[in-house]
PDB file of all heavy atoms in Angstrom:
ATOM      1  N   THR A   1       0.814  -1.212   0.004  1.00  0.00           N
ATOM      2  CA  THR A   1       0.032   0.002   0.004  1.00  0.00           C
ATOM      3  C   THR A   1       0.836   1.264   0.002  1.00  0.00           C
ATOM      4  O   THR A   1       0.289   2.370  -0.023  1.00  0.00           O
ATOM      5  CB  THR A   1      -0.939   0.048   1.228  1.00  0.00           C
ATOM      6  OG1 THR A   1      -0.143  -0.135   2.400  1.00  0.00           O
ATOM      7  CG2 THR A   1      -1.951  -1.148   1.148  1.00  0.00           C
ATOM      8  N   HIS A   2       2.153   1.127   0.070  1.00  0.00           N
ATOM      9  CA  HIS A   2       3.004   2.319   0.112  1.00  0.00           C
ATOM     10  C   HIS A   2       4.213   2.099  -0.811  1.00  0.00           C
ATOM     11  O   HIS A   2       4.612   0.998  -1.151  1.00  0.00           O
ATOM     12  CB  HIS A   2       3.509   2.582   1.559  1.00  0.00           C
ATOM     13  CG  HIS A   2       2.407   3.008   2.503  1.00  0.00           C
ATOM     14  ND1 HIS A   2       1.580   2.150   3.109  1.00  0.00           N
ATOM     15  CD2 HIS A   2       2.071   4.275   2.912  1.00  0.00           C
ATOM     16  CE1 HIS A   2       0.736   2.869   3.886  1.00  0.00           C
ATOM     17  NE2 HIS A   2       1.049   4.125   3.737  1.00  0.00           N
ATOM     18  N   THR A   3       4.901   3.219  -1.126  1.00  0.00           N
ATOM     19  CA  THR A   3       6.133   3.165  -1.858  1.00  0.00           C
ATOM     20  C   THR A   3       7.213   2.468  -1.025  1.00  0.00           C
ATOM     21  O   THR A   3       7.135   2.434   0.209  1.00  0.00           O
ATOM     22  CB  THR A   3       6.643   4.566  -2.241  1.00  0.00           C
ATOM     23  OG1 THR A   3       6.927   5.296  -1.048  1.00  0.00           O
ATOM     24  CG2 THR A   3       5.623   5.301  -3.062  1.00  0.00           C
ATOM     25  N   VAL A   4       8.200   1.928  -1.718  1.00  0.00           N
ATOM     26  CA  VAL A   4       9.317   1.287  -1.022  1.00  0.00           C
ATOM     27  C   VAL A   4       9.995   2.292  -0.097  1.00  0.00           C
ATOM     28  O   VAL A   4      10.352   1.990   1.081  1.00  0.00           O
ATOM     29  CB  VAL A   4      10.287   0.683  -2.055  1.00  0.00           C
ATOM     30  CG1 VAL A   4      11.529   0.181  -1.327  1.00  0.00           C
ATOM     31  CG2 VAL A   4       9.672  -0.426  -2.806  1.00  0.00           C
ATOM     32  N   THR A   5      10.192   3.531  -0.559  1.00  0.00           N
ATOM     33  CA  THR A   5      10.924   4.473   0.223  1.00  0.00           C
ATOM     34  C   THR A   5      10.133   5.046   1.444  1.00  0.00           C
ATOM     35  O   THR A   5      10.743   5.735   2.278  1.00  0.00           O
ATOM     36  CB  THR A   5      11.389   5.673  -0.652  1.00  0.00           C
ATOM     37  OG1 THR A   5      10.239   6.235  -1.378  1.00  0.00           O
ATOM     38  CG2 THR A   5      12.356   5.216  -1.708  1.00  0.00           C
ATOM     39  N   TRP A   6       8.868   4.730   1.495  1.00  0.00           N
ATOM     40  CA  TRP A   6       8.077   5.144   2.711  1.00  0.00           C
ATOM     41  C   TRP A   6       8.543   4.443   3.974  1.00  0.00           C
ATOM     42  O   TRP A   6       8.269   4.942   5.048  1.00  0.00           O
ATOM     43  CB  TRP A   6       6.573   4.825   2.455  1.00  0.00           C
ATOM     44  CG  TRP A   6       5.691   5.177   3.573  1.00  0.00           C
ATOM     45  CD1 TRP A   6       5.248   6.412   3.890  1.00  0.00           C
ATOM     46  CD2 TRP A   6       5.090   4.236   4.505  1.00  0.00           C
ATOM     47  NE1 TRP A   6       4.478   6.320   5.041  1.00  0.00           N
ATOM     48  CE2 TRP A   6       4.363   5.019   5.411  1.00  0.00           C
ATOM     49  CE3 TRP A   6       5.228   2.872   4.692  1.00  0.00           C
ATOM     50  CZ2 TRP A   6       3.676   4.433   6.496  1.00  0.00           C
ATOM     51  CZ3 TRP A   6       4.556   2.294   5.740  1.00  0.00           C
ATOM     52  CH2 TRP A   6       3.744   3.051   6.639  1.00  0.00           C
ATOM     53  N   ALA A   7       9.245   3.348   3.806  1.00  0.00           N
ATOM     54  CA  ALA A   7       9.690   2.620   5.005  1.00  0.00           C
ATOM     55  C   ALA A   7      10.478   3.480   5.992  1.00  0.00           C
ATOM     56  O   ALA A   7      10.401   3.337   7.186  1.00  0.00           O
ATOM     57  CB  ALA A   7      10.511   1.394   4.565  1.00  0.00           C
ATOM     58  N   ALA A   8      11.272   4.421   5.465  1.00  0.00           N
ATOM     59  CA  ALA A   8      12.073   5.285   6.349  1.00  0.00           C
ATOM     60  C   ALA A   8      11.185   6.220   7.153  1.00  0.00           C
ATOM     61  O   ALA A   8      11.430   6.393   8.335  1.00  0.00           O
ATOM     62  CB  ALA A   8      13.017   6.160   5.504  1.00  0.00           C
ATOM     63  N   HIS A   9      10.066   6.683   6.581  1.00  0.00           N
ATOM     64  CA  HIS A   9       9.134   7.518   7.312  1.00  0.00           C
ATOM     65  C   HIS A   9       8.503   6.729   8.434  1.00  0.00           C
ATOM     66  O   HIS A   9       8.317   7.199   9.549  1.00  0.00           O
ATOM     67  CB  HIS A   9       8.069   8.123   6.362  1.00  0.00           C
ATOM     68  CG  HIS A   9       8.613   9.122   5.461  1.00  0.00           C
ATOM     69  ND1 HIS A   9       8.406  10.477   5.688  1.00  0.00           N
ATOM     70  CD2 HIS A   9       9.313   9.046   4.335  1.00  0.00           C
ATOM     71  CE1 HIS A   9       8.950  11.192   4.707  1.00  0.00           C
ATOM     72  NE2 HIS A   9       9.537  10.362   3.871  1.00  0.00           N
ATOM     73  N   ARG A  10       8.114   5.464   8.121  1.00  0.00           N
ATOM     74  CA  ARG A  10       7.485   4.641   9.120  1.00  0.00           C
ATOM     75  C   ARG A  10       8.429   4.355  10.297  1.00  0.00           C
ATOM     76  O   ARG A  10       7.978   4.472  11.485  1.00  0.00           O
ATOM     77  CB  ARG A  10       7.041   3.334   8.488  1.00  0.00           C
ATOM     78  CG  ARG A  10       6.324   2.378   9.461  1.00  0.00           C
ATOM     79  CD  ARG A  10       5.902   1.096   8.755  1.00  0.00           C
ATOM     80  NE  ARG A  10       7.051   0.369   8.252  1.00  0.00           N
ATOM     81  CZ  ARG A  10       6.960  -0.642   7.367  1.00  0.00           C
ATOM     82  NH1 ARG A  10       5.775  -0.989   6.873  1.00  0.00           N
ATOM     83  NH2 ARG A  10       8.055  -1.242   6.960  1.00  0.00           N
ATOM     84  N   LEU A  11       9.696   4.080   9.980  1.00  0.00           N
ATOM     85  CA  LEU A  11      10.660   3.801  11.089  1.00  0.00           C
ATOM     86  C   LEU A  11      10.840   5.030  11.970  1.00  0.00           C
ATOM     87  O   LEU A  11      10.812   4.891  13.183  1.00  0.00           O
ATOM     88  CB  LEU A  11      12.013   3.409  10.461  1.00  0.00           C
ATOM     89  CG  LEU A  11      13.088   3.101  11.452  1.00  0.00           C
ATOM     90  CD1 LEU A  11      12.756   1.929  12.371  1.00  0.00           C
ATOM     91  CD2 LEU A  11      14.412   2.862  10.764  1.00  0.00           C
ATOM     92  N   VAL A  12      11.012   6.224  11.356  1.00  0.00           N
ATOM     93  CA  VAL A  12      11.180   7.388  12.149  1.00  0.00           C
ATOM     94  C   VAL A  12       9.970   7.724  12.996  1.00  0.00           C
ATOM     95  O   VAL A  12      10.062   8.105  14.188  1.00  0.00           O
ATOM     96  CB  VAL A  12      11.516   8.631  11.287  1.00  0.00           C
ATOM     97  CG1 VAL A  12      11.589   9.901  12.067  1.00  0.00           C
ATOM     98  CG2 VAL A  12      12.858   8.382  10.540  1.00  0.00           C
ATOM     99  N   GLN A  13       8.771   7.532  12.451  1.00  0.00           N
ATOM    100  CA  GLN A  13       7.549   7.772  13.198  1.00  0.00           C
ATOM    101  C   GLN A  13       7.442   6.793  14.397  1.00  0.00           C
ATOM    102  O   GLN A  13       6.975   7.193  15.477  1.00  0.00           O
ATOM    103  CB  GLN A  13       6.357   7.601  12.281  1.00  0.00           C
ATOM    104  CG  GLN A  13       5.033   8.079  12.898  1.00  0.00           C
ATOM    105  CD  GLN A  13       3.923   8.123  11.943  1.00  0.00           C
ATOM    106  OE1 GLN A  13       3.860   7.385  10.966  1.00  0.00           O
ATOM    107  NE2 GLN A  13       2.968   9.057  12.142  1.00  0.00           N
ATOM    108  N   GLU A  14       7.891   5.603  14.198  1.00  0.00           N
ATOM    109  CA  GLU A  14       7.829   4.604  15.303  1.00  0.00           C
ATOM    110  C   GLU A  14       8.898   4.881  16.387  1.00  0.00           C
ATOM    111  O   GLU A  14       8.594   4.762  17.573  1.00  0.00           O
ATOM    112  CB  GLU A  14       7.982   3.202  14.777  1.00  0.00           C
ATOM    113  CG  GLU A  14       6.870   2.718  13.874  1.00  0.00           C
ATOM    114  CD  GLU A  14       7.151   1.359  13.264  1.00  0.00           C
ATOM    115  OE1 GLU A  14       8.349   0.945  13.332  1.00  0.00           O
ATOM    116  OE2 GLU A  14       6.224   0.768  12.677  1.00  0.00           O
ATOM    117  N   CYS A  15      10.091   5.316  15.967  1.00  0.00           N
ATOM    118  CA  CYS A  15      11.175   5.513  16.859  1.00  0.00           C
ATOM    119  C   CYS A  15      11.148   6.863  17.548  1.00  0.00           C
ATOM    120  O   CYS A  15      11.641   6.995  18.710  1.00  0.00           O
ATOM    121  CB  CYS A  15      12.548   5.366  16.139  1.00  0.00           C
ATOM    122  SG  CYS A  15      12.915   3.744  15.557  1.00  0.00           S
ATOM    123  N   MET A  16      10.636   7.863  16.857  1.00  0.00           N
ATOM    124  CA  MET A  16      10.757   9.247  17.367  1.00  0.00           C
ATOM    125  C   MET A  16       9.374   9.919  17.256  1.00  0.00           C
ATOM    126  O   MET A  16       9.221  10.975  16.629  1.00  0.00           O
ATOM    127  CB  MET A  16      11.774   9.994  16.618  1.00  0.00           C
ATOM    128  CG  MET A  16      13.113   9.296  16.536  1.00  0.00           C
ATOM    129  SD  MET A  16      14.231   9.991  15.273  1.00  0.00           S
ATOM    130  CE  MET A  16      15.218   8.518  14.871  1.00  0.00           C
ATOM    131  N   PRO A  17       8.290   9.343  17.870  1.00  0.00           N
ATOM    132  CA  PRO A  17       6.959   9.917  17.701  1.00  0.00           C
ATOM    133  C   PRO A  17       6.807  11.352  18.192  1.00  0.00           C
ATOM    134  O   PRO A  17       6.004  12.125  17.642  1.00  0.00           O
ATOM    135  CB  PRO A  17       6.071   8.889  18.471  1.00  0.00           C
ATOM    136  CG  PRO A  17       7.007   8.252  19.447  1.00  0.00           C
ATOM    137  CD  PRO A  17       8.311   8.158  18.726  1.00  0.00           C
ATOM    138  N   SER A  18       7.573  11.690  19.251  1.00  0.00           N
ATOM    139  CA  SER A  18       7.379  13.036  19.891  1.00  0.00           C
ATOM    140  C   SER A  18       7.834  14.178  18.958  1.00  0.00           C
ATOM    141  O   SER A  18       7.331  15.266  19.020  1.00  0.00           O
ATOM    142  CB  SER A  18       8.109  13.130  21.193  1.00  0.00           C
ATOM    143  OG  SER A  18       7.633  12.184  22.128  1.00  0.00           O
ATOM    144  N   CYS A  19       8.833  13.881  18.081  1.00  0.00           N
ATOM    145  CA  CYS A  19       9.385  14.926  17.248  1.00  0.00           C
ATOM    146  C   CYS A  19       9.193  14.588  15.761  1.00  0.00           C
ATOM    147  O   CYS A  19       9.793  15.322  14.927  1.00  0.00           O
ATOM    148  CB  CYS A  19      10.825  15.177  17.596  1.00  0.00           C
ATOM    149  SG  CYS A  19      11.870  13.784  17.437  1.00  0.00           S
ATOM    150  N   TYR A  20       8.472  13.575  15.398  1.00  0.00           N
ATOM    151  CA  TYR A  20       8.365  13.145  14.004  1.00  0.00           C
ATOM    152  C   TYR A  20       7.955  14.316  13.058  1.00  0.00           C
ATOM    153  O   TYR A  20       8.514  14.501  11.982  1.00  0.00           O
ATOM    154  CB  TYR A  20       7.343  12.029  13.902  1.00  0.00           C
ATOM    155  CG  TYR A  20       7.000  11.625  12.492  1.00  0.00           C
ATOM    156  CD1 TYR A  20       7.935  10.988  11.696  1.00  0.00           C
ATOM    157  CD2 TYR A  20       5.755  11.914  11.989  1.00  0.00           C
ATOM    158  CE1 TYR A  20       7.632  10.588  10.364  1.00  0.00           C
ATOM    159  CE2 TYR A  20       5.426  11.576  10.653  1.00  0.00           C
ATOM    160  CZ  TYR A  20       6.339  10.895   9.873  1.00  0.00           C
ATOM    161  OH  TYR A  20       6.050  10.542   8.570  1.00  0.00           O
ATOM    162  N   TYR A  21       6.982  15.090  13.514  1.00  0.00           N
ATOM    163  CA  TYR A  21       6.457  16.218  12.648  1.00  0.00           C
ATOM    164  C   TYR A  21       7.381  17.409  12.661  1.00  0.00           C
ATOM    165  O   TYR A  21       7.133  18.400  11.910  1.00  0.00           O
ATOM    166  CB  TYR A  21       5.091  16.605  13.093  1.00  0.00           C
ATOM    167  CG  TYR A  21       4.060  15.436  12.802  1.00  0.00           C
ATOM    168  CD1 TYR A  21       3.623  14.670  13.870  1.00  0.00           C
ATOM    169  CD2 TYR A  21       3.662  15.171  11.533  1.00  0.00           C
ATOM    170  CE1 TYR A  21       2.730  13.625  13.661  1.00  0.00           C
ATOM    171  CE2 TYR A  21       2.782  14.117  11.282  1.00  0.00           C
ATOM    172  CZ  TYR A  21       2.311  13.356  12.336  1.00  0.00           C
ATOM    173  OH  TYR A  21       1.429  12.296  12.148  1.00  0.00           O
ATOM    174  N   ASP A  22       8.448  17.386  13.454  1.00  0.00           N
ATOM    175  CA  ASP A  22       9.455  18.474  13.396  1.00  0.00           C
ATOM    176  C   ASP A  22      10.659  18.108  12.539  1.00  0.00           C
ATOM    177  O   ASP A  22      11.568  18.931  12.425  1.00  0.00           O
ATOM    178  CB  ASP A  22       9.940  18.762  14.802  1.00  0.00           C
ATOM    179  CG  ASP A  22       8.862  19.292  15.739  1.00  0.00           C
ATOM    180  OD1 ASP A  22       8.113  20.186  15.291  1.00  0.00           O
ATOM    181  OD2 ASP A  22       8.718  18.796  16.896  1.00  0.00           O
ATOM    182  N   LEU A  23      10.610  16.962  11.896  1.00  0.00           N
ATOM    183  CA  LEU A  23      11.742  16.487  11.129  1.00  0.00           C
ATOM    184  C   LEU A  23      11.464  16.364   9.638  1.00  0.00           C
ATOM    185  O   LEU A  23      10.334  16.045   9.228  1.00  0.00           O
ATOM    186  CB  LEU A  23      12.187  15.107  11.658  1.00  0.00           C
ATOM    187  CG  LEU A  23      12.654  15.071  13.110  1.00  0.00           C
ATOM    188  CD1 LEU A  23      12.743  13.575  13.505  1.00  0.00           C
ATOM    189  CD2 LEU A  23      13.987  15.761  13.284  1.00  0.00           C
ATOM    190  N   ASP A  24      12.474  16.647   8.865  1.00  0.00           N
ATOM    191  CA  ASP A  24      12.462  16.292   7.443  1.00  0.00           C
ATOM    192  C   ASP A  24      13.189  15.016   7.247  1.00  0.00           C
ATOM    193  O   ASP A  24      14.305  14.849   7.712  1.00  0.00           O
ATOM    194  CB  ASP A  24      13.113  17.377   6.600  1.00  0.00           C
ATOM    195  CG  ASP A  24      12.174  18.487   6.113  1.00  0.00           C
ATOM    196  OD1 ASP A  24      11.006  18.152   5.987  1.00  0.00           O
ATOM    197  OD2 ASP A  24      12.623  19.568   5.852  1.00  0.00           O
ATOM    198  N   ILE A  25      12.574  14.079   6.530  1.00  0.00           N
ATOM    199  CA  ILE A  25      13.215  12.749   6.311  1.00  0.00           C
ATOM    200  C   ILE A  25      13.580  12.740   4.853  1.00  0.00           C
ATOM    201  O   ILE A  25      12.735  12.685   3.910  1.00  0.00           O
ATOM    202  CB  ILE A  25      12.229  11.572   6.640  1.00  0.00           C
ATOM    203  CG1 ILE A  25      11.775  11.724   8.069  1.00  0.00           C
ATOM    204  CG2 ILE A  25      12.840  10.257   6.343  1.00  0.00           C
ATOM    205  CD1 ILE A  25      10.535  10.922   8.443  1.00  0.00           C
ATOM    206  N   ASN A  26      14.890  12.832   4.560  1.00  0.00           N
ATOM    207  CA  ASN A  26      15.425  12.937   3.214  1.00  0.00           C
ATOM    208  C   ASN A  26      16.027  11.678   2.743  1.00  0.00           C
ATOM    209  O   ASN A  26      17.053  11.192   3.208  1.00  0.00           O
ATOM    210  CB  ASN A  26      16.476  14.073   3.220  1.00  0.00           C
ATOM    211  CG  ASN A  26      16.026  15.328   3.864  1.00  0.00           C
ATOM    212  OD1 ASN A  26      15.128  16.013   3.333  1.00  0.00           O
ATOM    213  ND2 ASN A  26      16.605  15.696   5.004  1.00  0.00           N
ATOM    214  N   THR A  27      15.356  11.066   1.728  1.00  0.00           N
ATOM    215  CA  THR A  27      15.939   9.880   1.057  1.00  0.00           C
ATOM    216  C   THR A  27      16.773  10.282  -0.047  1.00  0.00           C
ATOM    217  O   THR A  27      16.300  10.805  -1.062  1.00  0.00           O
ATOM    218  CB  THR A  27      14.772   8.915   0.580  1.00  0.00           C
ATOM    219  OG1 THR A  27      13.981   8.494   1.730  1.00  0.00           O
ATOM    220  CG2 THR A  27      15.353   7.746  -0.103  1.00  0.00           C
ATOM    221  N   HIS A  28      18.087  10.077   0.146  1.00  0.00           N
ATOM    222  CA  HIS A  28      19.091  10.590  -0.857  1.00  0.00           C
ATOM    223  C   HIS A  28      19.283   9.620  -2.071  1.00  0.00           C
ATOM    224  O   HIS A  28      19.509  10.062  -3.177  1.00  0.00           O
ATOM    225  CB  HIS A  28      20.422  10.805  -0.181  1.00  0.00           C
ATOM    226  CG  HIS A  28      20.329  11.889   0.847  1.00  0.00           C
ATOM    227  ND1 HIS A  28      20.362  13.252   0.564  1.00  0.00           N
ATOM    228  CD2 HIS A  28      20.223  11.775   2.222  1.00  0.00           C
ATOM    229  CE1 HIS A  28      20.286  13.942   1.683  1.00  0.00           C
ATOM    230  NE2 HIS A  28      20.166  13.067   2.695  1.00  0.00           N
ATOM    231  N   GLY A  29      19.083   8.335  -1.802  1.00  0.00           N
ATOM    232  CA  GLY A  29      19.250   7.392  -2.889  1.00  0.00           C
ATOM    233  C   GLY A  29      19.810   6.084  -2.348  1.00  0.00           C
ATOM    234  O   GLY A  29      19.846   5.851  -1.155  1.00  0.00           O
ATOM    235  N   LEU A  30      20.293   5.228  -3.272  1.00  0.00           N
ATOM    236  CA  LEU A  30      20.729   3.886  -2.959  1.00  0.00           C
ATOM    237  C   LEU A  30      22.207   3.763  -2.878  1.00  0.00           C
ATOM    238  O   LEU A  30      22.904   4.338  -3.755  1.00  0.00           O
ATOM    239  CB  LEU A  30      20.134   2.883  -3.932  1.00  0.00           C
ATOM    240  CG  LEU A  30      18.609   2.858  -4.057  1.00  0.00           C
ATOM    241  CD1 LEU A  30      18.205   1.746  -5.036  1.00  0.00           C
ATOM    242  CD2 LEU A  30      17.940   2.572  -2.724  1.00  0.00           C
ATOM    243  N   LEU A  31      22.663   3.004  -1.917  1.00  0.00           N
ATOM    244  CA  LEU A  31      24.078   2.629  -1.821  1.00  0.00           C
ATOM    245  C   LEU A  31      24.344   1.223  -2.353  1.00  0.00           C
ATOM    246  O   LEU A  31      25.527   0.841  -2.561  1.00  0.00           O
ATOM    247  CB  LEU A  31      24.578   2.715  -0.352  1.00  0.00           C
ATOM    248  CG  LEU A  31      24.407   4.109   0.335  1.00  0.00           C
ATOM    249  CD1 LEU A  31      24.733   3.998   1.808  1.00  0.00           C
ATOM    250  CD2 LEU A  31      25.369   5.106  -0.349  1.00  0.00           C
ATOM    251  N   GLY A  32      23.282   0.444  -2.483  1.00  0.00           N
ATOM    252  CA  GLY A  32      23.411  -0.909  -2.995  1.00  0.00           C
ATOM    253  C   GLY A  32      22.084  -1.550  -3.170  1.00  0.00           C
ATOM    254  O   GLY A  32      21.071  -1.113  -2.656  1.00  0.00           O
ATOM    255  N   VAL A  33      22.082  -2.603  -4.022  1.00  0.00           N
ATOM    256  CA  VAL A  33      20.876  -3.417  -4.237  1.00  0.00           C
ATOM    257  C   VAL A  33      21.263  -4.854  -4.164  1.00  0.00           C
ATOM    258  O   VAL A  33      22.283  -5.314  -4.747  1.00  0.00           O
ATOM    259  CB  VAL A  33      20.330  -3.142  -5.680  1.00  0.00           C
ATOM    260  CG1 VAL A  33      19.122  -4.081  -5.977  1.00  0.00           C
ATOM    261  CG2 VAL A  33      19.921  -1.674  -5.869  1.00  0.00           C
TER     262      VAL A  33
END
């Protein structure tokens, strides 16, 4: 139901719920496949 890169947003929201909306989550690209 989500893009592959959405996983980073989900992890930050779970780990840092108190400040999640104060953060920019920047996916720069891939280091490997």
Side-chain angles (χ1 to χ4, degrees):
T1 56
H2 290 81
T3 63
V4 172
T5 53
W6 178 77
H9 289 259
R10 182 179 61 193
L11 178 64
V12 173
Q13 190 170 29
E14 291 174 351
C15 291
M16 309 165 208
S18 298
C19 59
Y20 172 70
Y21 293 103
D22 296 315
L23 298 169
D24 268 335
I25 302 164
N26 309 293
T27 297
H28 297 280
L30 301 182
L31 300 171
V33 177

